[in-house]
């Protein structure tokens, strides 16, 4: 009897520990990448132990086309790594590959860990997701009005900084100084990548409150939408803004014309209110030098990073051309792109300075980077993942409030055309968790329909 009780207690401990760590992962994404990764790995380990102890082997890998395509992408990662491990004679290649793109495998635990949850756990997970949204908005507002990087509040707790980096100034609005908003992140691109996942949630969540007519909810949702738009404008990440726009467009098509969550007559009212809000924010910003810096790039004003992307892409194309199937291998991108840049600098001496100073860490395009490192098949698998996700999302029967969190996944595949968000740990953790939530919802609905 005591043995049975101890087994039950252990099972309950594993379940609770898994759920606690998963819930802690979500808000910690907006605080610290190391913290969120730690909670994610613990969540996966506790969840896996629970599944193994219960004998639920079939539940470890979700049975859904989206998850199968996701798994195939990482299987291709492994195949490419093993091929390069055999071909590469250097003793340190495995370590270089692990420090490069190969460690992204652990971020995939987000999809698997969500798969270990039960139907009763999901409302708690969505609440944790909402807390992440609030954390991003309010730290984004705070970060837009202070020169001190808020991330120092976290990093200074466990390490001594050798340098003191400030937030980039945008000027001032009247006598109020404005800064590029990065929240608790280290770069505005990472923060923008996280923000764009919540675009449809902020916009259509507010529209739903207008239909419901609860004045308190309208006020709160409207305030959150206003702050969200303000933070997004102060963030200045145009790639994520494009992704957010695409997410809102697809969400509008789906919710208005397919699911019919809103009447078509409400389309004009809702669009007018949303565009009016953006116009109001833009109008206020347009009457100051800082505001012009904020909204100018959105209307075609060139930024200093624009030409840099073309040099990065130009340096990546030869890698794809020379290694179309297996790429240059994980951990080799920086080394190989350096060789290309030296060759291009010798051929085009007048451009040698630009090849020297532009960024080297990634291709500034998810598809180019995947094709460069893992070959064209990896980029194609990634594209197929996006296409299958859209197909299943548009025929999904999941609840309205849940669906609002998934449209940002569509924009993620678009914003990756201008930035390597699929290589950004904080953003990718959220990507896989959201994908896992979508798959979990689809699996539960399928089981319900089959019973």
């Amino acid at each position: 009897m005591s043995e049975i009780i101890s087994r039950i207690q252990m099972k309950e401990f594993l379940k609770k520990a898994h759920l606690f760590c998963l819930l802690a992962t979500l808000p910690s994404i907006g605080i610290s990448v190391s913290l969120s990764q730690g909670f994610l790995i613990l969540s996966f380990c506790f969840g896996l132990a629970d599944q193994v102890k219960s004998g639920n082997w079939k539940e470890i890998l979700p049975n859904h086309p989206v998850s199968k395509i996701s798994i195939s992408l990482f299987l291709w990662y492994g195949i490419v790594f093993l091929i390069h491990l055999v071909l590469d004679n250097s003793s340190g290649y495995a370590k270089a590959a692990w420090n490069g793109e190969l460690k992204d495998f652990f971020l995939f635990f987000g999809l698997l860990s969500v798969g270990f949850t039960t139907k009763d756990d999901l409302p708690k997970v969505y609440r944790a997701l909402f807390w992440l949204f609030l954390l991003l908005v309010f730290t984004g507002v705070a970060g837009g009005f202070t020169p001190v990087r808020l991330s120092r509040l976290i990093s200074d707790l466990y390490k001594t900084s050798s340098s003191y980096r400030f937030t980039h100034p945008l000027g001032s609005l009247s006598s109020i100084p404005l800064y590029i908003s990065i929240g608790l992140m280290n770069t505005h691109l990472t923060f923008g990548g996280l923000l764009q996942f919540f675009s449809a949630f902020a916009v259509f969540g507010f529209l739903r409150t207008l239909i419901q007519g609860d004045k308190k909810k309208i006020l709160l949702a409207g305030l959150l939408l206003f702050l969200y738009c303000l933070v997004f404008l102060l963030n200045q990440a145009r790639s994520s803004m494009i992704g957010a726009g695409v997410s809102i467009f697809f969400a509008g098509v789906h919710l208005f014309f397919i699911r019919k969550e809103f009447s078509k007559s409400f389309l004009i009212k809702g669009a007018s209110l949303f565009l009016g809000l953006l116009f109001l924010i833009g109008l206020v910003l347009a009457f100051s030098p800082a505001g012009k810096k904020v909204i100018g790039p959105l209307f075609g004003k060139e930024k200093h990073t624009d030409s840099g992307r073309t040099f990065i892409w130009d340096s990546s194309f030869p890698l794809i051309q020379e290694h179309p199937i297996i790429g240059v291998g994980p951990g080799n991108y920086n080394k190989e792109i350096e060789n290309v840049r030296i060759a291009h600098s010798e051929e085009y001496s007048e451009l040698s300075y630009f090849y020297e100073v532009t960024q080297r860490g990634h291709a500034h395009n998810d598809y180019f980077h995947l094709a460069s490192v893992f070959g064209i098949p990896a980029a194609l698998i990634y594209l197929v993942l996006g296409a299958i996700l859209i197909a299943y999302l548009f025929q999904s029967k999941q609840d309205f409030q849940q669906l609002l969190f998934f449209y940002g996944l569509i924009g993620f595949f678009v914003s990756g055309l201008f930035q390597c968000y699929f290589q950004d740990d904080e953003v990718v953790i959220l990507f896989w968790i959201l994908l896992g939530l979508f798959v979990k919802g689809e699996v539960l609905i399928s089981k319900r329909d089959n019973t």
Side-chain angles (χ1 to χ4, degrees):
M1 177 65 72
S2 60
E3 185 178 349
I4 295 175
I5 293 174
S6 63
R7 286 182 180 179
I8 294 174
Q9 290 176 337
M10 175 57 69
K11 183 174 176 59
E12 285 300 312
F13 168 77
L14 291 174
K15 278 185 174 297
K16 290 179 179 179
H18 160 254
L19 182 60
F20 171 80
C21 291
L22 178 60
L23 297 179
T25 298
L26 281 163
S28 64
I29 291 172
I31 299 173
S32 165
V33 62
S34 300
L35 193 62
S36 59
Q37 286 176 332
F39 278 124
L40 177 63
I41 292 172
L42 286 174
S43 172
F44 173 77
C45 291
F46 284 127
L48 181 63
D50 179 42
Q51 297 298 317
V52 171
K53 197 170 184 64
S54 303
N56 298 329
W57 295 97
K58 293 182 179 179
E59 300 295 326
I60 293 177
L61 296 177
N63 185 22
H64 191 273
V66 170
S67 59
K68 290 178 181 178
I69 293 294
S70 302
I71 293 166
S72 69
L73 177 62
F74 284 100
L75 286 176
W76 182 254
Y77 274 26
I79 292 170
V80 169
F81 166 67
L82 291 175
I83 293 173
H84 281 280
L85 186 63
V86 172
L87 297 178
D88 198 309
N89 296 322
S90 62
S91 58
Y93 174 67
K95 183 179 179 180
W98 178 254
N99 291 332
E101 292 80 7
L102 207 61
K103 71 178 187 302
D104 291 348
F105 172 77
F106 280 100
L107 307 181
F108 179 63
F109 286 171
L111 184 146
L112 299 178
S113 187
V114 172
F116 299 151
T117 58
T118 64
K119 183 179 179 180
D120 294 334
D121 295 334
L122 290 181
K124 299 175 184 177
V125 178
Y126 282 105
R127 278 198 296 272
L129 198 55
F130 178 67
W131 279 109
L132 172 60
F133 171 69
L134 293 180
L135 181 67
L136 293 175
V137 169
F138 289 114
T139 58
V141 172
F145 295 93
T146 174
V148 179
R149 293 192 174 215
L150 300 182
S151 58
R152 293 187 62 87
L153 300 174
I154 307 300
S155 62
D156 284 357
L157 294 174
Y158 60 90
K159 70 178 181 180
T160 302
S161 300
S162 58
S163 61
Y164 198 98
R165 297 174 63 195
F166 290 93
T167 305
H168 297 294
L170 287 170
S172 60
L173 179 64
S174 184
S175 59
I176 303 173
L178 295 178
Y179 302 87
I180 289 181
S181 180
I182 61 174
L184 288 168
M185 300 295 100
N186 290 316
T187 71
H188 79 290
L189 290 170
T190 296
F191 191 61
L194 293 173
L195 284 174
Q196 69 98 22
F197 282 117
F198 295 96
S199 54
F201 172 77
V203 172
F204 292 96
F206 171 66
L207 294 184
R208 173 54 69 93
T209 62
L210 291 179
I211 292 178
Q212 293 172 341
D214 187 319
K215 292 183 179 180
K216 185 177 179 181
K217 288 184 178 179
I218 291 173
L219 181 62
L220 290 175
L223 177 61
L224 281 176
L225 178 58
F226 172 80
L227 294 176
Y228 175 80
C229 293
L230 176 63
V231 171
F232 225 145
L233 287 173
L234 291 176
N235 174 250
Q236 290 281 281
R238 292 171 298 168
S239 52
S240 58
M241 289 182 187
I242 292 171
V246 171
S247 298
I248 292 170
F249 171 78
F250 275 96
V253 171
H254 188 214
L255 296 175
F256 275 100
F257 301 103
I258 299 177
R259 295 250 315 194
K260 299 187 185 339
E261 297 283 350
F262 304 98
S263 65
K264 293 181 181 179
S265 62
F266 193 75
L267 177 61
I268 299 176
K269 298 177 183 177
S272 300
L273 282 170
F274 177 60
L275 294 175
L277 176 62
L278 291 181
F279 177 76
L280 178 62
I281 296 174
L283 190 63
V284 172
L285 293 174
F287 286 101
S288 70
K292 291 176 182 178
K293 283 186 179 181
V294 172
I295 64 176
L298 304 181
F299 293 95
K301 181 181 177 181
E302 187 175 354
K303 292 179 70 176
H304 71 282
T305 56
D306 292 343
S307 60
R309 278 186 173 85
T310 59
F311 285 99
I312 297 167
W313 294 347
D314 175 67
S315 303
S316 301
F317 292 152
L319 304 183
I320 301 172
Q321 187 176 7
E322 294 171 14
H323 311 277
I325 305 301
I326 60 171
V328 298
N332 285 334
Y333 181 82
N334 285 348
K335 178 180 68 176
E336 295 297 332
I337 201 174
E338 186 66 28
N339 295 332
V340 172
R341 290 189 175 189
I342 291 173
H344 282 192
S345 296
E346 293 174 351
E347 185 176 357
Y348 309 102
S349 57
E350 69 277 12
L351 300 176
S352 58
Y353 170 78
F354 300 100
Y355 281 113
E356 178 63 29
V357 299
T358 48
Q359 183 264 351
R360 286 166 167 72
H362 53 77
H364 264 284
N365 180 298
D366 280 329
Y367 305 93
F368 296 162
H369 192 85
L370 283 171
S372 298
V373 177
F374 295 102
I376 294 175
L380 292 177
I381 294 172
Y382 186 64
L383 273 171
V384 170
L385 174 61
I388 288 180
L389 171 65
I390 294 174
Y392 277 93
L393 181 56
F394 268 48
Q395 63 184 19
S396 177
K397 299 178 182 177
Q398 294 189 52
D399 183 70
F400 170 83
Q401 291 292 343
Q402 296 174 347
L403 282 179
L404 292 183
F405 288 107
F406 304 139
Y407 296 110
L409 293 168
I410 301 175
F412 179 82
F413 286 92
V414 177
S415 58
L417 291 169
F418 309 99
Q419 173 64 20
C420 273
Y421 284 117
F422 201 58
Q423 313 304 316
D424 199 326
D425 288 4
E426 294 97 328
V427 181
V428 176
I429 289 175
L430 184 55
F431 169 80
W432 286 121
I433 288 178
L434 287 173
L435 205 65
L437 282 170
F438 175 73
V439 170
K440 184 67 178 182
E442 293 298 295
V443 170
L444 288 174
I445 288 175
S446 178
K447 288 181 178 179
R448 183 193 67 191
D449 293 342
N450 291 334
T451 56

